[in-house]
Amino acid sequence: MKNDIGIDIGSANTLIYIKSKGIVLNEPSVVAIDKEFKSVLAVGSDAKDMIGKTPSAILSVCPIKEGVIAEFETAQSMLKNFVRKAFSKKAFVKSRVVACVPINVTAVEKQVIRDALLNTGAREVFVVEKPMAAAIGAQLPVSEPIASMVVDIGCGTTEIAVISLGGIVCGKTVKVAGSNFDAAIEKYIKRAHSLIIGDVTAEKIKISLGSAFSVNDEETLEVSGSDYMTGLPKNVVINAGEIRDAIKEQLMTIVEAIKDVLEDTPPELCADIIERGITLTGGGALLKGVDLLIKKEVGMNVFVADMPSECTAIGTGMILDDLDLLKKDNLFIVTK
């Protein structure tokens, strides 16, 4: 029991929660592979450091796409490596695992996640829908007859759900999230400044200057890349206003999805949401002013959860505490 773990296998990062210890691992979901010998050279932070800097014989792979496993063998190798970092394989063999999946995941995709973790050495694997785990980790009263609305903005997807009495009343997965912000920034920098940058640089720009509302317009950043016309190294200075405009379309897609879910919410539960507000989780919740933008567009209070990037992993850990009860009563849609 003490070795039971919760795992949030995200498109950007994988987090492991061990019962009684909390979050013991938070690593990028990246694997560096030798293309000739098909061998794993590095995993996690070491592999992410190689992105954009490797020779042609080495390939950096992100095996998790839009919240599900896209490359089974690579994901399995990554998970085995992470488990070894978290604790000994012998201890893991005795473990039960709670893993997260998007709302609209198929039965086949669920089975892929189960198989990957079982092949890694887990004794039993259970899956829970990601917004439910995020809501539990954010300390929302998900088992009570009160509506809680959670918007989990991750790297590959944004999960939106209204939860009441231990179940998701209505929800939606939008394939627009942090990675789309990065791609939009790359595209803008190329168009506006004739500068080609990589994924890592785009992510740094998002973290430093990214905003959804006018909160940091005076901030600037010098960015290095390759000149689009000559291919030579080049520096440009960009400001926060430019980046906000660059990601505006992606942000509004998320806002429209929130409105869609609210339209599908029963009137009695809408009253609860108006009173209690919307809770933001996931790494995207850290984008400056995203709560202010959603509040302005939907006309409701919006709150960013404490430690939003870790809410889902914490939620899986909290589910572990009552796993036998959840299995018995089928609460929180935990399935084996």
Side-chain angles (χ1 to χ4, degrees):
M1 295 286 289
K2 67 180 180 180
N3 292 325
D4 290 349
I5 72 168
I7 184 165
D8 176 14
I9 310 172
S11 301
N13 287 70
T14 295
L15 289 79
I16 293 180
Y17 181 109
I18 296 182
K19 201 168 181 179
S20 77
K21 293 184 179 180
I23 294 175
V24 297
L25 181 138
N26 185 348
E27 294 258 0
S29 302
V30 184
V31 181
I33 298 175
D34 186 313
K35 291 196 290 187
E36 181 178 355
F37 298 100
K38 307 296 182 182
S39 59
V40 175
L41 300 178
V43 175
S45 298
D46 294 337
K48 186 173 182 178
D49 290 341
M50 296 181 181
I51 293 177
K53 303 176 183 179
T54 60
S56 58
I58 298 175
L59 180 66
S60 292
V61 178
C62 299
I64 313 299
K65 302 292 185 183
E66 297 174 349
V68 297
I69 293 176
E71 299 186 29
F72 182 82
E73 291 184 3
T74 305
Q76 188 171 292
S77 297
M78 179 185 76
L79 291 172
K80 284 182 178 179
N81 183 282
F82 288 161
V83 166
R84 283 197 298 268
K85 285 186 179 182
F87 55 115
S88 70
K89 185 175 180 180
K90 183 178 180 180
F92 183 68
V93 169
K94 303 176 183 179
S95 297
R96 296 182 301 176
V97 180
V98 173
C100 300
V101 296
I103 293 175
N104 64 344
V105 71
T106 66
V108 172
E109 290 167 334
K110 282 185 182 180
Q111 191 60 48
V112 169
I113 289 176
R114 288 195 196 95
D115 289 345
L117 289 166
L118 288 170
N119 291 341
T120 300
R123 175 164 59 92
E124 288 184 293
V125 178
F126 303 87
V127 295
V128 60
E129 290 172 316
K130 190 166 187 176
M132 178 62 75
I136 294 171
Q139 305 288 331
L140 298 180
V142 295
S143 61
E144 298 178 16
I146 301 172
S148 298
M149 186 170 191
V150 61
V151 178
D152 184 79
I153 309 174
C155 175
T157 61
T158 295
E159 304 282 332
I160 307 163
V162 174
I163 300 166
S164 179
L165 287 172
I168 294 177
V169 178
C170 54
K172 187 173 186 177
T173 297
V174 186
K175 295 181 179 180
V176 175
S179 61
N180 302 93
F181 299 160
D182 298 342
I185 290 170
E186 285 186 58
K187 184 178 179 180
Y188 172 81
I189 297 296
K190 179 180 179 181
R191 184 181 71 250
H193 297 280
S194 296
L195 187 73
I196 299 175
I197 60 174
D199 296 343
V200 175
T201 300
E203 184 181 19
K204 289 180 179 178
I205 294 171
K206 177 184 68 179
I207 293 171
S208 298
L209 294 185
S211 63
F213 212 73
S214 181
V215 293
N216 60 339
D217 286 356
E218 302 302 319
E219 294 183 26
T220 60
L221 182 70
E222 186 175 57
V223 178
S224 301
S226 301
D227 187 282
Y228 177 60
M229 299 300 295
T230 66
L232 297 175
K234 174 182 174 182
N235 292 339
V236 299
V237 176
I238 57 177
N239 63 60
E242 291 181 89
I243 303 307
R244 185 169 61 256
D245 290 340
I247 63 176
K248 181 178 179 181
E249 180 180 347
Q250 288 69 34
L251 286 167
M252 293 310 298
T253 299
I254 293 173
V255 169
E256 290 303 316
I258 293 172
K259 291 180 179 179
D260 290 342
V261 173
L262 286 170
E263 289 175 3
D264 292 337
T265 303
E268 292 80 4
L269 297 183
C270 280
D272 289 340
I273 298 171
I274 291 172
E275 180 181 348
R276 297 172 50 78
I278 299 169
T279 299
L280 303 183
T281 63
L286 297 172
L287 184 71
K288 301 180 188 76
V290 66
D291 54 334
L292 299 177
L293 174 67
I294 296 173
K295 179 180 179 180
K296 176 188 174 184
E297 295 294 331
V298 302
M300 297 181 186
N301 288 327
V302 180
F303 307 97
V304 177
D306 294 335
M307 299 184 295
S309 300
E310 300 178 357
C311 279
T312 302
I314 293 171
T316 60
M318 294 173 69
I319 290 171
L320 286 169
D321 293 334
D322 292 311
L323 187 54
D324 290 327
L325 176 64
L326 300 179
K327 288 162 58 180
K328 178 181 177 181
D329 295 340
N330 198 32
L331 293 173
F332 307 146
I333 319 180
V334 175
T335 55
K336 183 177 178 181

